[in-house]
Amino acid sequence: MKETELSIKFFPDPVLKKKARAVLEVSQRNREILSKMAQLMYDHSGIGLAAPQVGISECMIVADIGSGLYKLVNPRLVSKEGTQTLEEGCLSVPEVCIKIRRAKRIVVSALDDTGKRVKIEADGLLACVLQHEMDHLRGKVIVDYANFLDKVRIKKRLLELKKKYKNEGLSESETKSCKLQL
Ligand code: ZN
């Protein structure tokens, strides 16, 4: 695996369906991957990115909604409260937006990039982003939340993505139509 140059993997790449494995010990290699993931997220105007989205099936995520960068290893949902519904996009599923109902406030336990245990109390958008990224770690993407009407609406786009995946892969300059890119 070439980890020196990470790139975004697109639906229906099988890595997005795989359950990511836990990181046993946070190493220099993990720190390098997390830094590169953060850079890639910023380059693509994203607010969150999970390691499977760059082809690495390990439990690492980054997020930044404008109030600081989180680099988290083995994140785990400790508690959740309330509900909110936001329209979410995904850097791995370009030009598809789905309204997803999630918890409004969550507490996440994780390791930071030095291996220290951290607890994050997130509300609103950050709670949404962290839940979206933790979904990626268990092989779940936004299209898995599509209801019947969503499926009708995005059917053509998903077929296009499947064709592009088979042929030449997607260029990374695809236009992004959703406000939230995670
Ligand atoms: Zn995503």
Side-chain angles (χ1 to χ4, degrees):
M1 190 196 331
K2 263 197 294 177
E3 286 166 357
T4 44
E5 35 188 294
L6 300 182
S7 64
I8 308 254
K9 305 295 174 193
F10 298 103
F11 175 90
D13 193 311
V15 72
L16 296 170
K17 282 252 153 212
K18 248 172 91 175
K19 195 176 180 305
R21 62 183 178 275
V23 173
L24 295 180
E25 200 189 340
V26 182
S27 65
Q28 183 58 24
R29 172 181 163 273
N30 296 108
R31 280 186 281 283
E32 278 165 22
I33 293 170
L34 284 162
S35 294
K36 282 174 188 162
M37 283 169 57
Q39 194 52 54
L40 204 56
M41 171 181 77
Y42 292 130
D43 289 348
H44 289 81
S45 309
I47 53 177
L49 191 69
Q53 291 182 276
V54 296
I56 299 173
S57 198
E58 295 173 42
C59 291
M60 293 183 276
I61 65 174
V62 294
D64 187 351
I65 60 161
S67 56
L69 173 62
Y70 291 92
K71 293 174 179 171
L72 303 178
V73 175
N74 300 343
R76 188 171 58 84
L77 192 65
V78 177
S79 67
K80 56 177 182 176
E81 203 183 276
T83 58
Q84 63 178 342
T85 304
L86 296 174
E87 189 168 63
E88 300 178 22
C90 179
L91 291 170
S92 295
V93 196
E95 291 171 56
V96 170
C97 310
I98 308 236
K99 279 188 183 153
I100 301 176
R101 199 169 119 130
R102 299 188 187 275
K104 172 103 173 57
R105 284 173 298 279
I106 58 169
V107 177
V108 170
S109 172
L111 300 176
D112 69 9
D113 68 344
T114 66
K116 200 180 93 197
R117 168 84 38 201
V118 290
K119 200 172 101 178
I120 296 134
E121 292 176 24
D123 187 1
L125 182 57
L126 183 60
C128 165
V129 175
L130 294 178
Q131 288 171 88
H132 177 119
E133 304 313 334
M134 285 190 286
D135 271 354
H136 276 301
L137 301 181
R138 49 195 189 102
K140 194 163 179 176
V141 289
I142 56 170
V143 295
D144 297 322
Y145 286 93
N147 62 26
F148 178 74
L149 286 176
D150 291 326
K151 281 179 189 155
V152 173
R153 180 171 55 83
I154 66 176
K155 195 176 163 193
K156 204 176 136 219
R157 179 62 188 148
L158 293 187
L159 278 175
E160 280 171 11
L161 288 170
K162 282 176 185 163
K163 271 190 204 154
K164 286 189 184 177
Y165 179 74
K166 266 194 208 156
N167 299 338
E168 77 278 8
L170 282 175
S171 81
E172 287 199 35
S173 57
E174 288 283 335
T175 56
K176 311 279 179 0
S177 58
C178 302
K179 217 164 59 184
L180 302 184
Q181 293 293 334
L182 320 111

